[in-house]
Amino acid sequence: MTSSSLLNARLLRTTALGVSIAVAAVSAPAFAQDATTDNAEDTANAIVVTAQGRSQLLSDVPVAISAVSAETLQNSGANDIRQLNQVAPSLLVSSTGSEANGSARIRGIGTVGDNPGLESSVPVFIDGVYRSRSGIGLNELGEIDRVEVQRGPQGTLGGRNSSAGLISIYSKKPDFNFGASGEITYGNYDYWRLTGSVTGPITDKVAARLDGVWVKRDGFLRDTTNNTDVNNRDRYFLRGQLLFEPTDALSIRLIADYTYRNEKCCGAIYVDNSVNPYIGNLNNPGVPATATTNNIVKVLNDLGQPLSAFNQGYGRDLSVSAGRSFAGKTKDYGFSGQIDWDLGGATLTSITAYREYRSGQAGDLDYGAVDILYRADSDDAYRQFHTFTQEVRLQGEAFDGKLDWLVGGFYANEKLTVRDNLRFGDDYGRFANCRIISGGGLAGLYSPTQAGCVAGGIGNLAGVGRNTILAASGASGADIVSAFTALDGLNDLGTINDRYYQNDRNWALFTHNIFHITDKLDLTLGLRYTNDKKRFNASFTNDNTVCTTVQGLVLDDLTSTTSNSTAKALAGALIGLSCQGNSTAELNGVSINSKRGEDKFTGTAILSYKPVDDLLLYASYARGYKAGGFNLDRSALKSPILPFGGQAGAQALAGNLQFDPELVTSYELGAKYSTGPFSAGLTFFRSDFKNFQLNTFNGTVFLVQNINGCSSDLAGGDRDQSKFTGAPNYNAGAAATGVCPTDDVSWGVRAEGFELEASLVPARNFRMTAGLTYAKTKYRANLVGTASGAPLDQALRLLPGSNLSNAPELVATGSVTWTPEIGSSGLTGLVYIDGRMTSDYNTGSDLFPQKAQDGYAIFNARVGVRGPDEKWGIEFWAQNLFNKQYAQVAFNSPFQEGGTSTGTAFADPQYPGGRQLFSQFLAEPRTYGVTLRGKF
């Protein structure tokens, strides 16, 4: 892989964007002296934000915030929050197995994985209304006024606490002057996008606005087996608004919106060594497995997976089982009302909202041609949020304007329902048996076309495979053979329809006050008290009787002191593969419930100083919080080996689903300089996270742990493992090492660095922007997995001392906009280009090297001609102009791990997953097209 240091140097030394940043940062003062933009235009272009619950100039707000205007959004082609990556260097938005799982990260911190039980570290607000998870913000946005990206913990305002930042999106309000606009876009992949907007007065006191968007596009991926595209677009969006202003002191804004999506998402392909050299020989087939071959690849190939799929680079042809689908439907709609009432001595703001969101997503979840694991397309499988929120703020001044005070309250009632139908596929039983047989000492019996995957067939009394297993297993032989027979029949079994339900009631009281100590010195103090209570229940339906059968046959052989080592090994493998993820008929008809509650004080303190009108200096402290909750996944209840009945039933284990709240303490030093044609901001930050909520897929199940640090030395106890006997970090007792005394447990993640943003208008029709973020977001050198100091899960042994996933140390962004006048007819041109350059990072939350991503650069461009007053326009555009291929996320291919190495090959340090295969969700390729705009 390209080293970070070399790439970082290249970013700033040898690229056009690096030159742009250098020009903006170094030459800007000289340009500013020559600029002729008058004061009136400077005032008109000033950006107003509401990050502190008040309307303030961006340059006067002593917090780290990026504001993106409607013009910038239009030029960059932003239709949802993902495109904000191009103009906000500290932000990274990505989506993986489902667009409902979209995740936003700020300064390398974000919520990871496919689990709606975890709240967003970077929540999304639209018109002041909290959206239950940040993935909901991947919808179309319609006509937008601006977007504010606040960086760092939001412990006082923001309606709902967040530990890393928040994204606030503000739509255009109704106007009392009539106007209408529309656009038609056509691009490659048969991309069509139609938008329309109309606004105007109904009476002299009431104005209305209606926005609509329709999008349709072929998929970026091709499922040749089922002759269909995947990762396509087929959606529409409607938003209607009424603005009622009966007096100058009272404004009432009502908003209703509806989004519908009927799309196939999200396909993945295998990672090969042309994409990531750390794959090495991992994709080479061979039974028995050797130092250069992997038995699981041979198994998959023999069961129908073409070998070409393991060596396709960034090819976009998917491997999918016949009849499996990635179909999904999403409905998102809601209503909100905002009242702003000037009472004379104070202003009252009330925002009331109710929203419903429902998303169902089918999937071929082994991401291969062998039918191992799937979710069927069903109206009874979905995740659903019903959310009511109410926020009230009262803000005014006191002591002759020396105090700008604000008090408020917030209430949310969120009802989350998840219904799941995850099942083992039609090939699972044979695949599981072949995985066992091919991966160890029985590889000589491997015969994938015969029952049990053994020569002669497992049921053939005279078969060599059956009799060899009988002899090798000693007294347990008959039970082992019967278990192989049962596992061979584990096909199309599993969840019928599991139901998870969580009711979250959250209320808070807060105050945010700005003390004007002098004309130049301000002190801001904010405090928030939050109370959060969650009630959880789940009910299971499952027809996997193979699990209970195999447990009944060989559990005693696994635990017996008289069983030989072969029998014990086979018994463990048979039960583990029969009961993966606690998919067992033992849970059929079983229900569990639990509850949790917590309350926290959070807040902020900011000292800001303006030595001159154009310069703001500030220092801040903030305490942030993200609520704890429940892991909505039955696999977290226990290990699949022992039955639930042997552990006092499922209800006794419900507490294992809980995780603790995430806490963050943050410090910032910042400066903002603004003269009109030139503005710049510099922020230094440090944030320490305790109980960091991490969600990791280990190839079999999702692990949710609260990551903490230990101030005492664990002597490598958090980095050892008991799986690979030939690896240098092997320790047979690794499961019990790495315990930290409770009093020594503290923060486990630290994000620190600096952010630089600059904007320059050297001439009336020319604007340059540049941004640079250096964020060292790392785990502490000694880590534990709970607040009490329990050991870190061995699957996370690469975390100590390393950068977090999806946390590049260096990101640079830049844009150039030129709108020259063409003659004297009122025509103007448009030349726009933006870029984002990212240093190396790892996309997997377990940080396996096979999930690393080299640094890359993405550029977008747009050129066009516009009529007088921009009444019409035609623009040609390209996204990902140079067709850069990269992965959004790489992950362990589900259940596809080969035999465990006993030597140095396919073991730590290069292969911490052993012979585990890897898949990846690709980023979007180059798209291009033409847009026609009109307005009147």
Side-chain angles (χ1 to χ4, degrees):
M1 305 295 285
T2 307
S3 72
S4 295
S5 57
L6 290 175
L7 180 60
N8 294 349
R10 286 208 308 270
L11 282 172
L12 298 179
R13 288 202 305 261
T14 64
T15 67
L17 185 58
V19 173
S20 171
I21 293 170
V23 169
V26 178
S27 304
F31 274 112
Q33 293 172 4
D34 297 334
T36 60
T37 307
D38 59 35
N39 291 335
E41 186 173 345
D42 292 345
T43 302
N45 291 332
I47 299 176
V48 176
V49 297
T50 56
Q52 296 194 115
R54 310 152 173 87
S55 294
Q56 298 172 284
L57 290 175
L58 176 63
S59 57
D60 291 339
V61 180
V63 297
I65 178 174
S66 299
V68 185
S69 67
E71 180 184 12
T72 300
L73 290 169
Q74 178 177 293
N75 288 338
S76 67
N79 301 322
D80 61 42
I81 63 173
R82 274 173 298 201
Q83 277 82 19
L84 293 175
N85 292 341
Q86 289 296 110
V87 293
S90 294
L91 176 69
L92 177 63
V93 182
S94 60
S95 59
T96 53
S98 164
E99 293 215 336
N101 305 328
S103 176
R105 297 171 177 83
I106 289 179
R107 297 171 175 170
I109 300 293
T111 301
V112 178
D114 179 12
N115 194 323
L118 281 78
E119 298 180 6
S120 301
S121 299
V122 184
V124 173
F125 292 79
I126 300 180
D127 292 318
V129 177
Y130 170 72
R131 299 303 174 93
S132 292
R133 300 295 181 268
S134 58
I136 297 174
L138 296 179
N139 288 331
E140 294 289 324
L141 300 177
E143 289 285 331
I144 296 300
D145 179 68
R146 71 185 187 281
V147 177
E148 298 177 10
V149 181
Q150 294 175 241
R151 308 188 292 273
Q154 306 302 309
T156 307
L157 300 171
R160 181 102 175 190
N161 283 298
S162 61
S163 56
L166 63 83
I167 301 171
S168 294
I169 300 168
Y170 297 91
S171 64
K172 288 186 177 179
K173 295 181 178 180
D175 199 304
F176 282 93
N177 296 311
F178 178 79
S181 63
E183 69 176 53
I184 300 174
T185 296
Y186 182 75
N188 60 334
Y189 294 94
D190 200 22
Y191 173 56
W192 285 97
R193 186 173 190 268
L194 278 66
T195 72
S197 176
V198 60
T199 186
I202 297 176
T203 71
D204 61 344
K205 303 293 185 183
V206 181
R209 184 180 189 94
L210 180 65
D211 299 314
V213 181
W214 175 81
V215 180
K216 196 173 182 69
R217 191 204 68 213
D218 293 342
F220 293 139
L221 305 171
R222 183 66 183 168
D223 171 7
T224 56
T225 302
N226 297 292
N227 192 31
T228 187
D229 289 338
V230 180
N231 289 26
N232 67 322
R233 288 284 182 270
D234 188 356
R235 58 179 63 177
Y236 65 86
F237 165 82
L238 293 170
R239 179 171 56 223
Q241 301 184 60
L242 288 175
L243 179 62
F244 179 41
E245 295 183 343
T247 70
D248 291 341
L250 179 62
S251 173
I252 302 173
R253 184 184 183 192
L254 304 177
I255 305 174
D257 66 89
Y258 181 88
T259 295
Y260 179 77
R261 302 198 312 232
N262 184 2
E263 301 170 348
K264 301 181 181 72
C265 188
C266 300
I269 64 170
Y270 289 106
V271 183
D272 69 22
N273 56 20
S274 72
V275 169
N276 186 318
Y278 285 103
I279 293 294
N281 295 315
L282 196 58
N283 293 359
N284 293 346
V287 173
T290 69
T292 58
T293 61
N294 190 346
N295 61 293
I296 205 69
V297 178
K298 175 64 173 171
V299 169
L300 291 167
N301 178 234
D302 288 339
L303 295 180
Q305 176 66 62
L307 283 178
S308 58
F310 299 105
N311 298 282
Q312 68 179 84
Y314 288 108
R316 293 180 179 267
D317 286 337
L318 300 178
S319 297
V320 183
S321 301
R324 302 300 179 216
S325 170
F326 289 95
K329 293 183 177 66
T330 298
K331 294 180 181 179
D332 178 26
Y333 58 92
F335 316 89
S336 67
Q338 178 169 338
I339 300 172
D340 294 293
W341 191 5
D342 187 347
L343 303 174
T347 299
L348 175 69
T349 298
S350 171
I351 303 175
T352 307
Y354 176 77
R355 300 206 59 83
E356 293 193 4
Y357 174 87
R358 177 166 166 164
S359 179
Q361 187 71 62
D364 186 351
L365 299 181
D366 51 70
Y367 302 100
V370 181
D371 195 17
I372 300 172
L373 190 68
Y374 76 99
R375 279 193 181 96
D377 184 15
S378 171
D379 291 336
D380 293 326
Y382 54 82
R383 63 181 59 185
Q384 176 177 275
F385 290 94
H386 289 182
T387 309
F388 171 81
T389 57
Q390 174 66 58
E391 182 171 358
V392 178
R393 300 193 301 266
L394 188 66
Q395 184 244 329
E397 294 183 348
F399 308 116
D400 296 325
K402 291 292 186 181
L403 171 63
D404 183 346
W405 58 267
L406 184 152
V407 295
F410 177 80
Y411 173 78
N413 188 340
E414 177 186 275
K415 297 177 180 178
L416 166 61
T417 301
V418 177
R419 296 179 65 176
D420 197 11
N421 60 350
L422 181 66
R423 293 175 72 80
F424 296 113
D426 287 335
D427 299 326
Y428 179 78
R430 183 59 54 83
F431 165 80
N433 273 339
C434 287
R435 174 175 161 174
I436 296 172
I437 295 297
S438 66
L442 300 177
L445 305 176
Y446 174 72
S447 182
T449 61
Q450 300 191 65
C453 199
V454 296
I458 197 70
N460 182 359
L461 297 180
V464 63
R466 173 191 176 94
N467 288 307
T468 301
I469 292 172
L470 282 170
S473 303
S476 304
D479 289 344
I480 297 295
V481 166
S482 296
F484 270 111
T485 302
L487 179 55
D488 214 48
L490 204 175
N491 303 311
D492 200 19
L493 298 174
T495 301
I496 300 170
N497 197 270
D498 287 349
R499 178 183 179 274
Y500 300 87
Y501 176 79
Q502 176 181 281
N503 182 206
D504 179 14
R505 295 187 178 185
N506 178 291
W507 64 269
L509 298 174
F510 55 86
T511 181
H512 188 272
N513 308 284
I514 303 174
F515 299 89
H516 303 295
I517 300 172
T518 69
D519 291 342
K520 297 179 179 294
L521 182 66
D522 288 349
L523 174 64
T524 302
L525 297 176
L527 182 68
R528 183 185 187 101
Y529 170 79
T530 300
N531 181 278
D532 188 271
K533 292 183 178 179
K534 291 184 171 74
R535 292 183 178 272
F536 161 84
N537 65 68
S539 58
F540 307 103
T541 53
N542 196 292
D543 59 5
N544 181 16
T545 56
V546 172
C547 173
T548 54
T549 297
V550 172
Q551 284 176 328
L553 285 168
V554 299
L555 183 60
D556 57 339
D557 300 296
L558 177 63
T559 58
S560 173
T561 58
T562 60
S563 300
N564 65 30
S565 59
T566 298
K568 288 179 181 292
L570 291 175
L574 287 162
I575 296 174
L577 289 173
S578 298
C579 306
Q580 291 268 30
N582 288 321
S583 178
T584 171
E586 188 185 8
L587 283 179
N588 193 46
V590 172
S591 296
I592 60 174
N593 63 82
S594 187
K595 62 181 180 179
R596 60 173 290 117
E598 61 205 30
D599 54 359
K600 297 292 179 185
F601 281 99
T602 55
T604 188
I606 308 171
L607 187 65
S608 58
Y609 178 60
K610 296 195 76 169
V612 295
D613 288 344
D614 296 333
L615 178 63
L616 172 70
L617 306 173
Y618 65 92
S620 69
Y621 163 86
R623 177 78 168 168
Y625 152 80
K626 184 175 75 164
F630 294 93
N631 181 0
L632 306 184
D633 187 344
R634 64 166 185 248
S635 67
L637 288 168
K638 65 170 187 64
S639 161
I641 301 299
L642 295 177
F644 283 94
Q647 302 183 55
Q651 178 58 47
L653 302 170
N656 293 343
L657 300 181
Q658 294 198 30
F659 54 87
D660 291 332
E662 183 174 290
L663 306 173
V664 55
T665 301
S666 182
Y667 306 89
E668 292 186 0
L669 290 173
K672 295 184 178 183
Y673 178 76
S674 179
T675 61
F678 174 67
S679 63
L682 176 64
T683 304
F684 293 91
F685 61 87
R686 170 180 283 183
S687 299
D688 292 336
F689 293 80
K690 187 175 182 180
N691 289 336
F692 181 74
Q693 297 169 3
L694 184 68
N695 187 24
T696 302
F697 181 62
N698 67 1
T700 302
V701 297
F702 284 93
L703 305 173
V704 176
Q705 280 205 304
N706 286 112
I707 306 299
N708 285 292
C710 184
S711 59
S712 54
D713 187 2
L714 298 178
D718 54 349
R719 309 182 191 211
D720 56 7
Q721 51 81 31
S722 58
K723 184 174 182 178
F724 305 111
T725 57
N729 61 342
Y730 173 74
N731 180 358
T737 62
V739 177
C740 180
T742 303
D743 291 343
D744 290 346
V745 176
S746 62
W747 61 267
V749 171
R750 170 171 286 175
E752 60 183 350
F754 68 87
E755 298 159 324
L756 174 65
E757 292 182 309
S759 176
L760 174 65
V761 184
R764 182 177 179 182
N765 300 315
F766 193 83
R767 175 180 293 274
M768 300 170 58
T769 68
L772 179 66
T773 295
Y774 174 77
K776 204 166 189 177
T777 305
K778 299 186 68 171
Y779 292 104
R780 201 165 183 171
N782 295 280
L783 296 180
V784 291
T786 68
S788 62
L792 190 70
D793 191 285
Q794 289 186 45
L796 306 177
R797 62 188 180 275
L798 296 187
L799 271 56
S802 299
N803 282 12
L804 272 67
S805 63
N806 290 287
E809 287 193 6
L810 189 65
V811 177
T813 62
S815 70
V816 174
T817 308
W818 184 36
T819 55
E821 296 177 356
I822 302 175
S824 59
S825 61
L827 295 178
T828 58
L830 169 67
V831 178
Y832 173 86
I833 186 168
D834 65 41
R836 176 186 176 99
M837 292 188 167
T838 301
S839 62
D840 300 349
Y841 60 95
N842 196 299
T843 68
S845 51
D846 54 13
L847 302 182
F848 285 7
Q850 288 76 20
K851 302 174 185 180
Q853 171 63 54
D854 274 338
Y856 57 89
I858 300 295
F859 292 91
N860 300 330
R862 188 173 294 260
V863 296
V865 177
R866 298 167 174 177
D869 299 321
E870 298 187 16
K871 294 294 185 181
W872 59 267
I874 179 171
E875 299 170 0
F876 298 90
W877 53 266
Q879 305 281 94
N880 191 2
L881 180 62
F882 299 110
N883 200 29
K884 178 61 183 177
Q885 304 288 341
Y886 65 100
Q888 292 192 84
V889 171
F891 59 96
N892 296 24
S893 305
F895 301 165
Q896 296 167 59
E897 180 182 355
T900 300
S901 173
T902 57
T904 57
F906 295 111
D908 286 34
Q910 180 174 339
Y911 294 97
R915 290 187 172 89
Q916 169 69 55
L917 298 181
F918 298 91
S919 302
Q920 59 184 340
F921 296 110
L922 297 181
E924 295 184 356
R926 174 172 51 215
T927 56
Y928 52 86
V930 59
T931 297
L932 302 177
R933 304 185 194 276
K935 68 177 181 179
F936 59 91

